[in-house]
Amino acid sequence: MKKVFEKTNGLTDVPMRYCPGCGHGIAHRLVGEVIEELGVRERTIAVVPVGCSVFLDEYVNCDGIQGPHGRGPAIATGIKRTHPECIVFSYQGDGDLASIGMAETIHSAARSENITIVFINNAIYGMTGGQMAPTTLIGMRATTCPSGRSIEVNGYPIRMCELLATLPGASYLARTSVDKPANIIKTKKAIKKAFETQIQKKGFSMVEILSPCPTDWGMTPRVALKRVQNEMIPYFPLGVYRDWESRGKKEDDVKVAIEA
Amino acid sequence: MAEKTLMKGNEALAEGAVRAGCRFFAGYPITPQNEVPEYMSWRLPQEGGFFIQAESEVAAINMIFGAASTGIRVMTSSSSPGISLKQEGISYCAGADLPIFYANVVRGGPGLGNIAPAQSDYFQSTRGGGHGDYRVFVMAPNSATEMANFPKRCYDVAFKYRVPSMILADGLLGQMMEPVEFDFEPIDPGSIPAPDWALGVATGRNKRVVKSYDLRPGRLEDWNIERQKKFEMIEAEECDWDGEGLEDCELLVSSYGSCSRISKSAVKLARDSGLAVGLLRPITLYPFPKKIFRDMARKVKNILVVEMSLGQYVEDVQLSVEGAVPIHFHGRPGGGIPTAEEIFEIVKKIMRK
Amino acid sequence: MYQGIIVAGFGGQGVISMGIMLAYAGMVDNKHVTFFPAYGAEMRGGTANCSVIVSTDEVDSPVVGQPDSLLVMNEPSFAKFEPTIRPGGRLFINTSLVSSKSKRKDIQVIDVPANKVAEEIGTLKIANMVMAGALIKHTGAIARDAIIKSLGIVYSRAKPEMLKMNETAIKRGGEF
């Protein structure tokens, strides 16, 4: 029989414990495949966050370090500066990257630290049980905004790609989604490009992946995917926000990305 | 190498760490320790090392956490408020069994406090400092020369037991200049093989993971008990102290760090006026040299503890002595520095009773 | 021999550099030395002071509570430190800038018109070394050769003519 799919060597055989319909599993697989395809598995170090993906170190088939909530980019910085031969990526959720770890995110981009961030944006705190995230949409319910996020009380959700695109040090920024096969393929391309950015020593790269959280959204997996398409993507437009390869004038880059 | 160099304590500390093999430093400005990052910023590149001014103390300790996971010798430094900020990261290092070295050049607190020398971070330093069951190997230098030579001892212990290590100094030690003599040859970190737990290029070996969590039922308890054995070994093996006039003293004065030098002057004044006074100074604060205190408690009539805080160090003396002898206390908080004359007056009062 | 010295004045008068210079020279002269500056926020206020100890025995406490010698370079320093001088100690006053007179009978006062002498030599910058010259002459704490030798090391980047003027300043200071 012809083999049509094989599990990547970039992942271990440990069964993942994510909820049905969660986007983490797909993102993990894509990262594993990219690491394998680029031939960097034996020199890659995963920086593992606090959050649902805290077990990433068990799933990914490379060295890993699990650190304090939000500090992934700082940990990655310490490793990369002293071991430029290693490929270092930090895997983070929205609370980790855009709330508690905002300073580390911005400053590692400002320094154009030669690291890669895989940022899972599911607009909610998953592991702690569905509290409001910095990317929770207006009107969206969470356990700490039970009648929905209000602008008056909670302000606006943060668009990280747009924010980082203002920094000259951000060399590659893309926002993708895992809501449908076509977008999953695009996500993999973006992750690959981000890793290549690092391999070619071009500086800071980040892929923001819009991802469903059926459990904490209180939805079936199918309905959760609809929310990604109908509510998240309109607020968080997909696309490439910075690309060192096609970069013209930096200011123009930013403008085009935001208008798109 | 026996040649003496006039150096600031902070510079001696930085140079000592570099000579002891430190090749990565991340820090953030705060008085009175700024000479450490300033010195590292030009000195480390000379040795092929790396310096980063981090965006915060929190980022700095996590850069250290990352770099330490690769098995190299790393350092960060700060002063009191900044060390408070680093505690989460230090706890992670303890939890992940990473050897790190850091220095607290203590200033007056609590809060923003002031920038004067103080010893009020004793509890924080000797009890672990962050969350969870762990200790940090703590050395208390009292001269620029010890600031220069103790980083090596800290690295030795940190790597032997895989624990965090620190130097507890203060603004006086950091800012004062003295002739410095190094008691060891510079170490080439390239000659030290990478530890078998270090992350990095993994060609031909299984993957390695550095982490501090274990959610499986009962496992974290086992892990903590296992780690406790390390601390018991450290307590048995790594204590250090220094003393003077211990053979015949009736009153034992005890201080650590910069304060121990002031107490030493006071003890000399007392000896010159014919009083049987001795000095006991712990060099390691964790592990605390309990045994010598217990031994001395059987010999002397009184103990006087002098510290630049309001009753922190004295508790370890009390715990060691277990009520065997009266303990008198003189503390100067908030950046106050006692003088030798001031201590001598108290000594006279106690001896007259 | 034990000399606890406090040097005090305005920032920019070379108070800290004189302190370092004295400590270095003491080390060159095979003495035990410590130097401790007032640092940080205190420094930003425009006044500067430092403590130097030079001793034939090991220095224990680096804190100078009661100086054996006080060098005052400006008026506020006189008010702050003059009462702290150890009985039998010495007060060196830069009389070019300080008009206060000590009423204490238990100390020796040495008047040094340091700014005036420095200007005569060629630059105000070396007023501190005029004071240092007076100090080592009266206390004998540090050999003059040691301090002159140290000038070239501590100020390794200074021009030869500047070093020469420093040297002259130390000698002239010794005349008071």
Side-chain angles (χ1 to χ4, degrees):
Chain A
M1 204 162 63
K2 195 182 159 207
K3 195 183 267 182
V4 293
F5 181 82
E6 193 175 16
K7 188 190 73 63
T8 170
N9 185 32
L11 294 180
T12 62
D13 293 331
V14 177
M16 290 186 197
R17 285 157 284 187
Y18 292 113
C19 307
C22 171
H24 274 304
I26 301 170
H28 285 16
R29 172 172 64 81
L30 298 179
V31 169
E33 287 174 357
V34 165
I35 291 171
E36 185 183 23
E37 286 166 24
L38 291 172
V40 294
R41 191 186 64 78
E42 287 189 322
R43 58 185 177 111
T44 297
I45 299 177
V47 180
V48 180
V50 171
C52 284
S53 46
V54 70
F55 300 114
L56 173 67
D57 61 78
E58 295 182 29
Y59 307 140
V60 74
N61 192 17
C62 63
D63 278 7
I65 174 170
Q66 193 287 321
H69 196 23
R71 315 303 169 207
I75 297 166
T77 296
I79 298 171
K80 187 71 185 184
R81 288 280 179 119
T82 54
H83 296 272
E85 72 279 11
C86 290
I87 302 302
V88 187
F89 77 95
S90 174
Y91 189 103
Q92 301 176 259
D94 39 54
D96 198 86
L97 177 132
S99 192
I100 194 168
M102 182 62 111
E104 283 76 4
T105 306
I106 288 182
H107 282 274
S108 58
R111 290 192 304 265
S112 202
E113 214 56 71
N114 194 27
I115 57 172
T116 300
I117 294 181
V118 178
F119 166 34
I120 306 298
N121 180 0
N122 59 13
I124 202 92
Y125 278 79
M127 185 171 246
T128 46
Q131 295 82 9
M132 186 187 69
T135 50
T136 296
L137 297 166
I138 302 300
M140 189 176 150
R141 288 171 200 266
T143 59
T144 48
C145 54
S147 42
R149 179 174 187 150
S150 85
I151 293 167
E152 292 72 23
V153 179
N154 310 114
Y156 296 87
I158 301 171
R159 297 182 176 106
M160 285 307 299
C161 278
E162 290 85 336
L163 187 68
L164 294 177
T166 63
L167 301 171
S171 301
Y172 180 74
L173 299 170
R175 183 182 291 123
T176 65
S177 163
V178 288
D179 64 300
K180 57 184 182 188
N183 279 341
I184 292 173
I185 290 167
K186 282 185 188 165
T187 299
K188 183 172 169 184
K189 276 188 185 153
I191 294 173
K192 200 167 198 174
K193 175 78 186 232
F195 273 78
E196 282 167 342
T197 300
Q198 183 179 166
I199 291 167
Q200 294 185 43
K201 300 185 170 59
K202 297 297 180 187
F204 182 89
S205 56
M206 183 184 87
V207 182
E208 174 177 348
I209 303 168
L210 304 184
S211 174
C213 179
T215 301
D216 283 317
W217 289 358
M219 293 173 168
T220 63
R222 189 188 293 270
V223 177
L225 287 175
K226 290 285 169 225
R227 173 182 258 179
V228 173
Q229 288 158 359
N230 299 335
E231 296 177 43
M232 286 188 80
I233 292 176
Y235 190 84
F236 299 111
L238 306 183
V240 174
Y241 285 77
R242 296 279 289 203
D243 187 346
W244 53 274
E245 255 184 329
S246 57
R247 183 184 292 171
K249 279 184 186 168
K250 282 163 189 163
E251 295 82 352
D252 291 351
D253 259 3
V254 176
K255 215 171 150 192
V256 170
I258 290 171
E259 280 168 4
Chain B
M1 209 180 68
E3 196 186 324
K4 287 185 177 181
T5 326
L6 192 68
M7 287 180 107
K8 254 193 183 191
N10 281 336
E11 293 170 344
L13 171 67
E15 178 61 27
V18 173
R19 290 190 189 207
C22 173
R23 290 299 178 267
F24 183 73
F25 181 99
Y28 186 85
I30 181 170
T31 307
Q33 63 84 53
N34 294 314
E35 293 80 5
V36 184
E38 283 167 0
Y39 190 93
M40 288 300 203
S41 72
W42 62 265
R43 182 69 178 90
L44 275 173
Q46 286 183 344
E47 300 292 340
F50 306 89
F51 165 85
I52 301 184
Q53 178 168 331
E55 59 269 32
S56 66
E57 282 94 350
V58 174
I61 187 65
N62 283 286
M63 290 176 185
I64 291 303
F65 177 60
S69 74
T70 69
I72 64 169
R73 296 191 168 196
V74 300
M75 178 185 181
T76 184
S77 69
S78 191
S79 180
S80 310
I83 294 289
S84 295
L85 281 169
K86 289 183 200 286
Q87 291 301 342
E88 184 201 32
I90 294 165
S91 168
Y92 269 69
C93 290
D97 301 306
L98 287 185
I100 60 161
F101 167 58
Y102 61 99
N104 182 358
V105 184
V106 182
R107 53 190 260 173
L112 187 57
N114 62 18
I115 57 171
Q119 295 186 316
S120 39
D121 299 349
Y122 183 88
F123 282 154
Q124 187 196 53
S125 310
T126 56
R127 268 60 183 167
H131 60 286
D133 255 330
Y134 72 96
R135 297 292 183 112
V136 171
F137 179 68
V138 188
M139 295 198 77
N142 76 357
S143 67
T145 289
E146 289 188 349
M147 292 281 266
N149 291 320
F150 284 5
K152 179 181 177 292
R153 293 178 59 181
C154 283
Y155 280 122
D156 288 346
V157 170
F159 274 80
K160 184 174 171 190
Y161 301 95
R162 294 183 64 184
V163 292
S165 66
M166 74 172 288
I167 278 181
L168 185 64
D170 61 46
L172 186 55
L173 285 163
Q175 293 298 320
M176 70 184 272
M177 287 179 103
E178 270 188 310
V180 168
E181 251 181 299
F182 288 91
D183 66 8
F184 63 98
E185 293 291 337
I187 291 162
D188 170 19
S191 67
I192 307 170
D196 61 7
W197 46 262
L199 306 186
V201 176
T203 317
R205 65 155 166 82
N206 290 336
K207 68 177 243 187
R208 292 171 182 166
V209 176
V210 166
K211 63 176 187 179
S212 59
Y213 76 89
D214 198 330
L215 306 183
R216 293 167 293 182
R219 291 296 287 270
L220 191 63
E221 182 174 5
D222 294 343
W223 194 357
N224 270 286
I225 290 167
E226 204 50 46
R227 190 173 292 121
Q228 191 58 31
K229 289 180 190 155
K230 281 199 309 202
F231 294 117
E232 282 163 14
M233 267 170 75
I234 292 172
E235 287 179 23
E237 301 288 331
E238 308 295 343
C239 276
D240 196 8
W241 53 271
D242 190 13
E244 209 154 297
L246 300 184
E247 316 74 34
D248 61 345
C249 63
E250 289 173 22
L251 169 66
L252 181 70
V253 180
S254 187
S255 301
Y256 71 93
S258 58
C259 198
S260 70
R261 287 178 62 159
I262 303 167
S263 290
K264 195 172 172 185
S265 285
V267 166
K268 274 190 186 162
L269 290 173
R271 289 243 156 202
D272 288 347
S273 57
L275 298 172
V277 181
L279 179 76
L280 180 53
R281 166 213 167 201
I283 291 172
T284 57
L285 300 180
Y286 180 83
F288 193 80
K290 289 179 186 162
K291 186 176 176 300
I292 181 71
F293 277 94
R294 269 202 299 273
D295 293 348
M296 289 308 298
R298 275 187 237 116
K299 293 190 209 165
V300 300
K301 290 181 184 151
N302 287 284
I303 294 178
L304 168 63
V305 171
V306 185
E307 63 183 278
M308 279 143 62
S309 47
L310 281 185
Q312 300 193 27
Y313 167 62
V314 68
E315 286 197 6
D316 269 339
V317 179
Q318 287 164 339
L319 284 168
S320 305
V321 166
E322 292 178 334
V325 64
I327 295 173
H328 308 260
F329 176 70
H330 182 57
R332 292 286 304 269
I337 306 173
T339 64
E341 291 78 7
E342 172 182 331
I343 299 168
F344 180 41
E345 286 307 313
I346 299 164
V347 165
K348 281 193 283 191
K349 242 183 244 168
I350 297 169
M351 302 280 285
R352 244 182 273 146
K353 273 179 195 162
Chain C
M1 190 281 298
Y2 174 97
Q3 268 289 315
I5 303 158
I6 287 179
V7 187
F10 288 125
Q13 283 186 307
V15 165
I16 299 297
S17 76
M18 185 197 338
I20 294 172
M21 186 69 222
L22 290 171
Y24 197 96
M27 182 177 77
V28 168
D29 200 23
N30 290 317
K31 305 278 182 9
H32 294 271
V33 296
T34 59
F35 160 84
F36 181 58
Y39 57 88
E42 271 181 277
M43 242 166 72
R44 318 281 187 261
T47 62
N49 72 76
C50 63
S51 316
V52 178
I53 297 172
V54 182
S55 170
T56 43
D57 297 317
E58 200 176 321
V59 181
D60 297 322
S61 172
V63 179
V64 179
Q66 297 178 294
D68 301 296
S69 292
L70 171 68
L71 281 66
V72 290
M73 302 285 282
N74 68 357
E75 205 59 66
S77 302
F78 181 95
K80 185 173 177 189
F81 291 108
E82 184 261 357
T84 68
I85 301 171
R86 188 183 297 280
R90 295 182 179 88
L91 168 63
F92 299 82
I93 303 181
N94 178 1
T95 50
S96 303
L97 293 176
V98 182
S99 51
S100 295
K101 301 273 181 249
S102 176
K103 293 189 178 73
R104 287 181 60 174
K105 299 277 180 260
D106 58 347
I107 57 170
Q108 186 192 350
V109 179
I110 298 103
D111 290 339
V112 187
N115 285 32
K116 184 165 159 282
V117 175
E119 279 184 309
E120 281 168 18
I121 299 169
T123 169
L124 246 182
K125 283 182 194 163
I126 55 174
N128 58 349
M129 287 302 146
V130 178
M131 296 295 284
L135 173 87
I136 60 166
K137 171 72 198 262
H138 284 266
T139 62
I142 305 164
R144 198 168 77 180
D145 288 351
I147 205 163
I148 286 167
K149 189 178 158 196
S150 303
L151 278 172
I153 303 167
V154 177
Y155 304 136
S156 57
R157 273 178 286 185
K159 292 186 181 125
E161 55 268 31
M162 191 64 199
L163 287 177
K164 197 75 209 153
M165 283 196 277
N166 271 289
E167 203 178 318
T168 311
I170 289 161
K171 282 177 189 156
R172 289 284 303 277
E175 292 163 12
F176 296 94

